[in-house]
Amino acid sequence: MSDNTNEILPNEGGENEPQNRIVAVNIEEQMKSAYIDYSMSVIVGRALPDVRDGLKPVHRRVLYAMNELSMAHNKPHKKSARVVGEVLGKYHPHGDSSVYDAMVRMAQPWSMRYMMVDGQGNFGSQDGDGPAAMRYTEVRMQRYAESMIEDIEKETVDFGLNFDDSLEEPTVLPTRIPQLLVNGSSGIAVGMATNIMPHNLTEVINGCIAYIENKEITIDELMHYVKAPDFPTGGIIYGIDGIKQGFQTGRGRVVLRGRVTVETLKNGKDQIVITEVPYQVSRDALAEKIGYLVNNKIIDGITHVANESNKEGTRVVVELRRDAVAQVIINQLYKYSELQTSYGINNVALVKGRPRTLNLKDMISEFVAFRHEVVTKRTQYELREAEKRAHILEGYMKVVGTQNDLDRAIKIIRESKTPDEAREGLMTSFDLSEIQAKAILELRLRTLTGLEIDKIRSEYDELMKTINHLKGILADESIRFDIIKGELLEVQKKFGDERRTEIQYASGDMRIEDMIAEEDVVITISHLGYIKRASVADYRSQKRGGRGAMGGKTRDEDYLEHLFIASTHDTLLFFTEKGRCYWLKVYEIPETDKNAKGRAIQNLMQIPQDDKIRVILDVPKLDDEAFVDKHNIVLCTKKGIIKKTKLKEFSRPRQTGVNAITINEGDQLLDVALTDGESFIMMAIKSGRAISFNEDRVRATGRGAIGVSGIELEGESDAVVGMICLSKDFKDRDRQVLVVSEKGLGKRTPFFELIGEEATDEDKEKAFTLKNEDGSESLYQLSYRITNRGGKGVKTMNITDKTGPLAGLLSVTQADDLMITCQSGLTIRMKVESVREAGRATQGVKLINIDNKDQIAAIARIQDQGEEEEIIEEGDVVVSTDPEGTNPTATEEQTPDANNEETPDTTPDAPAAE
């Protein structure tokens, strides 16, 4: 087959020329030329948005046609078919479905982050339903779209001929909104594609203003303003590394998850409720996919799936079997269904008519440059119009300035035979331009009155001020950028809103803490496993003896079990009763007010239903290798077992947790502490005894070990109630031992006691030397003598029927606060210094009034926050208070020991036992 094509043309020459003329054309070159023309037509005229207004030609034409039809937001709706016909007939040489589909998408709140078209009628649904035909629906512009087309009549943008050269259409809209970033765009051209994510308008405008103020701003600095995409359907962005890459290079990846909650039904079963689905995911299709996964045994544990979504919002319910772990099912849904979807970032747009891949700064800088061009052209237009009007007013004032001039002008006009003759006469007599003379001839007679002449002079004066102002704008670039900033802030005020898409940082993201404000928060966990964090300020300080305020709303069978203070940058190690350890960053815990119930821990960690959290350990520097190497984890159980493991073995978080200690049958983990390798360990039991020994008496073992005996118990009913570990460092020198009984009595006893010069030689011989902060050394003795582990210990509280068994043990300082929580949910916060010091063998004083059926559930130490005691205001949930500490009931119930009369310890110290 030949590569050439023969073209036969009619003979146009004389007799000497051949009858036919053959032109040889290379088919490869012809195909290449034709394909390039076609591809450029698709790239420029159909598939890619313009970097300036962020619109493709079809969207631009729809908005321009609606503007020409006066379809503003405050005007009546008009049939969609009328707009489609206008666009097709005048500007868009393609099918009607392409125009209508584009317009429909602009009116769908689940497709556009900020809608440009206000639709009336059936425009489809998020379940994948299509819109009604164009003859049934009606549209008009949103106020948002009007801000994109504003000032188009002021020669701010270039116009070009339409497809048949009969009309003109704008090549770009003079938008005040950074549309390309805000609403994004997607399209497939020839040999290239674009996929730009939508973003939050408030964040994008803040980024634009930051760029205007500092043109040398880096992309990392811009990311402090524009944090991540913001999708119209909400959801949760998982991980920021792909987003950061997209901002830096124009190509990246976004992982988006639907928002889920776990609800517990009355029958005890859990159900997963999906309240937000990823962008462009059909809710019906998602429900069908989950059903497919269940039917094909890919996911086990789901009994029923239903799409209960309506106009109020999304609700896809996934019911679980009783033995199913909700978080495990959620993770499987993320893996196998569209509940987790990834989107490729490909920021390709037309820059000066050429496709280009853009990073975040490129898109912002191109938009700002375009706005500067629009403001400049608008100012130039307004200056031209103002000068034209001033020129006419100058002519008016020449003619009607005085009565003689006016009479002379009237005489010239009356004596002229034609308008042209009158115009020439005025131009000659008053030195007027042709424009001025024409304007005077068109004056109405009422303009010749004295009042109207004064208005002309006043208008001229104001016009000259405007002209000077406009010239000042054109002469000073900084003024133009100030105008741009002002207009952006106005747009932000009109249309800005909060983020819909939450950003959740994946474990691989680097330095997430840099983007999280560091502050102390109160962490509470209920008996049934609901966790939350709240501001420390929400818990006001009260006097000792008060009734307390509710620390959290719980179900009838639930109560607050754990309460402590942690920094948002800390890592929490969760230890369960069965000896498993799980990890969670503090900032990952849902933040609520103190009266909220919180969120089920199963939603945050994969904890089996037959296990529960027992101890939470706050570790401030789990990623610091030097810190990890120096510290240990000490664990104790209810049956008196003690174990020590290097912190390094807990420094690599695993989603499924690790085994921290092997628990014997009938025993369970009770307490955990972080130590520096040279601490004193103290354990207390219900019967009122406590034992103290050096940490080095417990050798370090692996995570799977059982441990060794720590203290001897008194019978089967006895159990360990608490453990404290005190460092030999001078920072722990002022710490005291605080014990509380189940019936609300408590006291504090110094652990370290300084030995003075007056001490006997026998006391000095028993004492030990510790270094002070200044490097000097001092002699100390312990109120609880050091023994070997495994012994009986010494009395730490005189247990009676009035005190009840020992409930808790803490190490505190006088600057701390004490938080006491009852099983009923009642919580009181008090100053530790209000708790009287007493000997280790006394009963203590009344700390909180509780009902006969209630008892202390947990005690927690709150480090000094520097806050003053607040007056209890009306409306606070407080049953009673005792501001002076003189509650009559408390006084009557106090024993002689509570009045600071110590009861001597008549029981001899237990012998040390190995």
Side-chain angles (χ1 to χ4, degrees):
M1 185 175 178
S2 174
D3 288 340
N4 297 331
T5 301
N6 294 332
E7 185 178 353
I8 302 176
L9 301 175
N11 182 21
E12 297 177 358
E15 294 180 356
N16 296 329
E17 291 189 9
Q19 296 294 318
N20 299 304
R21 182 158 53 90
I22 299 174
V23 179
V25 178
N26 188 300
I27 193 170
E28 291 182 0
E29 294 297 327
Q30 186 70 18
M31 290 290 291
K32 182 187 293 186
S33 175
Y35 191 73
I36 289 175
D37 290 344
Y38 164 72
S39 62
M40 288 306 298
S41 173
V42 173
I43 290 170
V44 177
R46 293 175 67 178
L48 297 186
D50 193 294
V51 71
R52 297 170 292 178
D53 63 1
L55 298 176
K56 298 179 186 178
V58 63
H59 301 103
R60 188 180 302 117
R61 288 163 176 165
V62 167
L63 294 180
Y64 182 66
M66 293 177 76
N67 183 66
E68 292 295 290
L69 290 172
S70 299
M71 298 173 65
H73 76 281
N74 53 0
K75 299 291 181 64
H77 291 80
K78 292 183 180 179
K79 285 288 184 183
S80 299
R82 183 170 181 186
V83 179
V84 173
E86 184 82 2
V87 174
L88 287 180
K90 291 184 176 180
Y91 313 114
H92 201 65
H94 302 286
D96 59 351
S97 61
S98 64
V99 177
Y100 185 54
D101 289 347
M103 188 170 67
V104 164
R105 190 172 180 275
M106 293 162 73
Q108 292 175 334
W110 59 89
S111 295
M112 303 297 289
R113 181 60 180 84
Y114 299 90
M115 292 187 297
M116 292 182 279
V117 172
D118 178 13
Q120 186 169 275
N122 177 17
F123 279 82
S125 74
Q126 202 174 340
D127 294 320
D129 301 322
M134 70 179 81
R135 62 183 178 273
Y136 298 119
T137 59
E138 296 179 341
V139 293
R140 65 183 177 187
M141 283 195 294
Q142 294 270 10
R143 289 184 64 192
Y144 177 93
E146 292 176 14
S147 294
M148 297 187 64
I149 211 162
E150 191 172 349
D151 296 330
I152 196 170
E153 74 284 354
K154 294 183 179 180
E155 300 178 5
T156 50
V157 293
D158 296 332
F159 279 67
L161 295 173
N162 68 342
F163 59 89
D164 62 357
D165 296 348
S166 61
L167 295 168
E168 286 192 335
E169 62 174 320
T171 57
V172 67
L173 296 185
T175 176
R176 297 188 176 193
I177 298 170
Q179 167 74 7
L180 187 64
L181 267 171
V182 170
N183 267 328
S185 184
S186 63
I188 300 174
V190 178
M192 63 183 64
T194 184
N195 198 32
I196 303 171
M197 300 293 107
H199 294 76
N200 182 268
L201 177 64
T202 301
E203 293 181 1
V204 172
I205 287 180
N206 288 337
C208 291
I209 292 174
Y211 170 78
I212 291 172
E213 293 175 347
N214 176 20
K215 300 293 194 307
E216 303 302 320
I217 191 171
T218 64
I219 295 176
D220 287 336
E221 290 171 337
L222 280 174
M223 286 184 65
H224 287 94
Y225 304 96
V226 187
K227 297 179 175 60
D230 188 25
F231 296 94
T233 53
I236 299 171
I237 290 174
Y238 184 70
I240 61 169
D241 283 347
I243 296 169
K244 187 174 182 179
Q245 185 180 5
F247 282 157
Q248 294 279 2
T249 66
R251 294 180 182 270
R253 182 168 172 265
V254 181
V255 178
L256 186 64
R257 291 177 167 181
R259 189 179 299 277
V260 299
T261 59
V262 178
E263 298 178 356
T264 303
L265 303 176
K266 292 182 180 179
N267 59 10
K269 293 183 180 180
D270 288 338
Q271 64 180 19
I272 299 169
V273 179
I274 303 170
T275 56
E276 293 176 3
V277 298
Y279 184 49
Q280 295 177 334
V281 170
S282 166
R283 298 176 298 201
D284 276 345
L286 177 61
E288 290 176 6
K289 181 62 176 290
I290 295 173
Y292 170 82
L293 295 172
V294 174
N295 293 334
N296 287 270
K297 308 297 183 183
I298 298 174
I299 297 179
D300 185 37
I302 296 176
T303 59
H304 186 256
V305 183
N307 181 9
E308 300 177 1
S309 306
N310 53 32
K311 292 182 180 180
E312 302 299 322
T314 297
R315 182 178 173 86
V316 179
V317 179
V318 181
E319 297 181 7
L320 307 181
R321 284 205 314 258
R322 190 182 300 274
D323 61 341
V325 179
Q327 189 59 45
V328 172
I329 302 295
I330 291 171
N331 290 338
Q332 290 177 328
L333 291 176
Y334 285 150
K335 182 177 181 179
Y336 296 112
S337 75
E338 287 76 19
L339 190 59
Q340 175 175 302
T341 307
S342 63
Y343 304 86
I345 299 174
N346 189 20
N347 298 334
V348 178
L350 295 174
V351 181
K352 297 179 181 178
R354 294 178 177 270
R356 180 178 150 197
T357 302
L358 305 164
N359 59 35
L360 176 63
K361 186 176 180 180
D362 290 337
M363 289 190 283
I364 289 177
S365 63
E366 291 290 343
F367 169 74
V368 171
F370 173 62
R371 278 305 299 166
H372 182 264
E373 180 184 343
V374 168
V375 169
T376 302
K377 287 184 175 180
R378 182 184 66 195
T379 306
Q380 291 170 344
Y381 171 82
E382 291 174 349
L383 178 61
R384 287 196 302 271
E385 293 299 310
E387 288 177 338
K388 287 179 184 177
R389 179 62 179 167
H391 182 63
I392 292 173
L393 292 177
E394 287 172 354
Y396 287 169
M397 289 188 293
K398 286 182 180 179
V399 173
V400 300
T402 64
Q403 187 63 40
N404 290 336
D405 291 337
L406 180 58
D407 292 342
R408 187 156 54 99
I410 293 173
K411 183 179 179 182
I412 292 173
I413 294 171
R414 290 181 66 184
E415 291 177 352
S416 299
K417 295 180 180 179
T418 63
D420 290 340
E421 185 180 339
R423 185 181 69 249
E424 293 294 333
L426 290 173
M427 292 171 61
T428 303
S429 300
F430 294 94
D431 191 21
L432 300 176
S433 67
E434 184 176 349
I435 295 174
Q436 290 173 325
K438 284 182 178 180
I440 291 171
L441 288 174
E442 294 171 359
L443 274 176
R444 294 183 179 182
L445 291 175
R446 71 176 187 182
T447 310
L448 305 180
T449 63
L451 183 61
E452 292 295 327
I453 292 173
D454 291 338
K455 284 184 178 180
I456 291 172
R457 291 194 181 101
S458 176
E459 182 185 352
Y460 181 77
D461 292 339
E462 291 296 324
L463 210 52
M464 293 309 296
K465 292 179 182 178
T466 301
I467 290 171
N468 291 332
H469 173 66
L470 294 173
K471 287 181 177 178
I473 293 173
L474 293 174
D476 192 340
E477 185 182 72
S478 64
I479 297 178
R480 296 196 293 275
F481 279 114
D482 286 340
I483 292 172
I484 295 170
K485 285 197 294 184
E487 291 175 349
L488 285 172
L489 290 173
E490 184 180 346
V491 167
Q492 186 184 61
K493 185 178 179 181
K494 283 183 181 179
F495 309 112
D497 57 3
E498 298 294 326
R499 285 191 65 89
R500 296 182 187 175
T501 304
E502 179 185 337
I503 304 171
Q504 190 177 87
Y505 301 98
S507 57
D509 293 332
M510 300 301 293
R511 295 305 303 165
I512 304 166
E513 288 81 359
D514 293 343
M515 307 182 75
I516 304 294
E518 184 170 7
E519 59 181 351
D520 286 339
V521 291
V522 177
I523 308 296
T524 60
I525 302 177
S526 74
H527 179 70
L528 293 183
Y530 289 92
I531 186 171
K532 70 174 185 288
R533 64 182 167 102
S535 173
V536 173
D538 288 348
Y539 292 84
R540 72 176 182 282
S541 180
Q542 298 178 25
K543 288 287 188 177
R544 175 179 63 83
R547 179 66 180 189
M550 296 303 294
K553 294 181 179 178
T554 60
R555 293 159 56 176
D556 293 341
E557 67 273 20
D558 199 6
Y559 58 88
L560 296 183
E561 197 168 73
H562 303 284
L563 189 150
F564 60 95
I565 300 296
S567 167
T568 50
H569 283 200
D570 292 355
T571 302
L572 300 184
L573 300 186
F574 290 76
F575 294 86
T576 69
E577 290 180 346
K578 292 189 175 183
R580 301 276 305 170
C581 175
Y582 299 85
W583 292 260
L584 190 66
K585 286 287 189 180
V586 170
Y587 59 74
E588 294 176 335
I589 299 172
E591 184 175 10
T592 65
D593 61 71
K594 69 170 185 176
N595 292 323
K597 183 174 74 171
R599 187 174 178 184
I601 293 179
Q602 280 78 6
N603 291 1
L604 306 175
M605 294 177 289
Q606 297 182 18
I607 300 174
Q609 287 193 338
D610 60 347
D611 203 359
K612 65 173 291 189
I613 298 297
R614 184 68 191 182
V615 182
I616 304 95
L617 190 63
D618 178 21
V619 181
K621 300 177 182 178
L622 193 60
D623 56 350
D624 187 335
E625 187 174 344
F627 178 86
V628 169
D629 289 340
K630 288 173 55 179
H631 288 77
N632 303 313
I633 296 289
V634 175
L635 309 94
C636 79
T637 72
K638 281 193 172 183
K639 295 300 182 182
I641 299 297
I642 192 83
K643 180 194 171 185
K644 182 172 74 174
T645 302
K646 293 290 186 182
L647 177 60
K648 188 174 184 178
E649 297 200 29
F650 297 91
S651 62
R652 294 184 178 179
R654 298 182 192 172
Q655 193 171 11
T656 56
V658 296
N659 196 38
I661 182 175
T662 299
I663 301 294
N664 293 325
E665 186 176 354
D667 197 2
Q668 66 181 35
L669 185 67
L670 173 74
D671 212 344
V672 183
L674 185 68
T675 65
D676 59 5
E678 299 181 354
S679 300
F680 295 110
I681 298 175
M682 182 175 175
M683 302 169 66
I685 56 178
K686 279 186 176 182
S687 55
R689 288 188 288 109
I691 190 171
S692 301
F693 50 88
N694 285 309
E695 181 184 344
D696 58 12
R697 302 302 299 170
V698 184
R699 66 182 180 88
T701 57
R703 286 189 286 103
I706 298 175
V708 295
S709 175
I711 188 171
E712 184 179 328
L713 305 180
E714 293 184 6
E716 292 295 326
S717 62
D718 204 4
V720 178
V721 296
M723 174 188 72
I724 61 175
C725 296
L726 291 172
S727 171
K728 296 179 181 179
D729 189 90
F730 60 85
K731 293 179 181 179
D732 279 355
R733 209 65 49 81
D734 295 330
R735 304 202 72 81
Q736 296 177 312
V737 177
L738 186 143
V739 290
V740 177
S741 70
E742 288 184 356
K743 293 189 177 180
L745 276 78
K747 63 176 181 177
R748 53 189 172 97
T749 304
F751 190 80
F752 297 98
E753 294 179 349
L754 182 65
I755 294 182
E757 294 295 332
E758 68 280 1
T760 63
D761 292 339
E762 184 180 357
D763 289 339
K764 291 181 180 180
E765 189 173 333
K766 294 180 181 178
F768 55 91
T769 302
L770 293 177
K771 286 187 178 182
N772 299 315
E773 187 173 3
D774 59 2
S776 62
E777 295 182 344
S778 299
L779 286 176
Y780 286 86
Q781 66 180 6
L782 301 178
S783 55
Y784 292 82
R785 71 180 180 86
I786 300 299
T787 66
N788 288 328
R789 61 168 179 80
K792 291 185 177 180
V794 298
K795 183 180 288 188
T796 186
M797 190 174 198
N798 189 25
I799 300 300
T800 66
D801 291 340
K802 289 185 177 181
T803 63
L806 203 60
L809 171 78
L810 291 175
S811 69
V812 297
T813 68
Q814 291 190 21
D816 293 338
D817 281 9
L818 176 66
M819 193 82 80
I820 301 176
T821 305
C822 299
Q823 289 186 354
S824 62
L826 195 68
T827 301
I828 188 172
R829 176 174 172 174
M830 65 180 68
K831 298 290 185 183
V832 165
E833 63 184 1
S834 68
V835 180
R836 188 174 303 157
E837 288 191 23
R840 61 177 176 80
T842 60
Q843 289 183 350
V845 296
K846 194 76 170 180
L847 302 184
I848 182 172
N849 290 329
I850 58 177
D851 298 331
N852 293 332
K853 296 180 180 180
D854 202 2
Q855 64 182 29
I856 302 297
I859 60 173
R861 174 182 66 89
I862 300 179
Q863 295 181 1
D864 177 37
Q865 303 298 319
E867 59 178 301
E868 297 295 331
E869 181 176 327
E870 299 179 6
I871 298 173
I872 298 167
E873 299 179 359
E874 186 178 358
D876 286 337
V877 187
V878 179
V879 179
S880 63
T881 57
D882 182 24
E884 300 300 330
T886 56
N887 188 299
T889 308
T891 304
E892 291 172 5
E893 290 186 359
Q894 283 178 345
T895 64
D897 300 329
N899 292 319
N900 210 24
E901 296 177 12
E902 296 189 12
T903 302
D905 182 10
T906 56
T907 305
D909 289 343
E914 190 63 29

